[in-house]
Amino acid sequence: EGWVAAQSGAATGEGPRGNVIIHSFGPAGKLCAWAARQAGLQYLILEMNPDTVHRCAKAGEPIYYGDAIHGSLLEHYGIHTAKALIIAISDPVAVYGITQTARQLNEKLHIIARTRYQAEVDDLRKEGADEVVAEEFESAIEIFTRLLAFSLVPRNQITHLVEEVRAHNYEALRDLAGSDSGMVALRKHMP
């Protein structure tokens, strides 16, 4: 099943369509839109700031005013046929509500949600998010990646450690007193 181009639903009263729906056009949403554009994916943006919507629409972005917590708005913009929903807002209550609403409307939808805290990851997954990006976790990864790069640890070893941490769904950072097998391997490469 390919990610076909979106079609206008003017005849049915539906709004524009996108295979990827991005909620919020802050820094994370802008980066997601840029990546979708670079990959040739059809996307649209839902934003609650009318000034941002006006300015970005004039610049050619497929951006529309609205809050994705409302199921009728998601239906209007094609949630039933969308492939992915990016929830890039920082309001935790809204992230939960949007995740629940979107999952109820489209069981096959791939939902990627942003949250500030690692402690919210499991709960958001229970609500229907397929992937959850915790800011504090990703910041920690970026910090240790830069520390290791500064310390001249080979890039492939750093990449391996990042993959190991992510593969264990943040468990490596939750239990810092646990196994240090990755660190033993890392020490062999330290200058």
Side-chain angles (χ1 to χ4, degrees), residues 60-163:
E61 281 291 351
I63 188 168
Y64 306 93
Y65 179 78
D67 184 351
I69 201 162
H70 303 291
S72 59
L73 182 83
L74 287 173
E75 288 177 321
H76 181 75
Y77 288 109
I79 195 71
H80 293 294
T81 58
K83 304 294 183 192
L85 170 65
I86 309 298
I87 307 170
I89 58 175
S90 59
D91 177 349
V93 174
V95 172
Y96 279 91
I98 294 166
T99 300
Q100 290 172 335
T101 300
R103 180 56 65 216
Q104 289 170 359
L105 294 172
N106 184 342
E107 291 181 11
K108 295 180 182 179
L109 183 70
H110 190 80
I111 300 173
I112 304 171
R114 165 188 165 196
T115 185
R116 284 193 159 174
Y117 304 109
Q118 182 179 330
E120 297 172 342
V121 170
D122 291 338
D123 288 339
L124 277 167
R125 285 193 176 137
K126 287 176 189 170
E127 294 301 329
D130 295 289
E131 298 183 52
V132 181
V133 178
E135 291 176 19
E136 69 179 354
F137 176 76
E138 291 303 323
S139 295
I141 287 178
E142 185 64 24
I143 290 167
F144 89 63
T145 298
R146 290 179 185 218
L147 170 66
L148 297 178
F150 172 78
S151 301
L152 302 178
V153 173
R155 189 74 193 152
N156 65 333
Q157 186 66 29
I158 295 170
T159 301
H160 173 73
L161 288 171
V162 169
E163 289 171 355

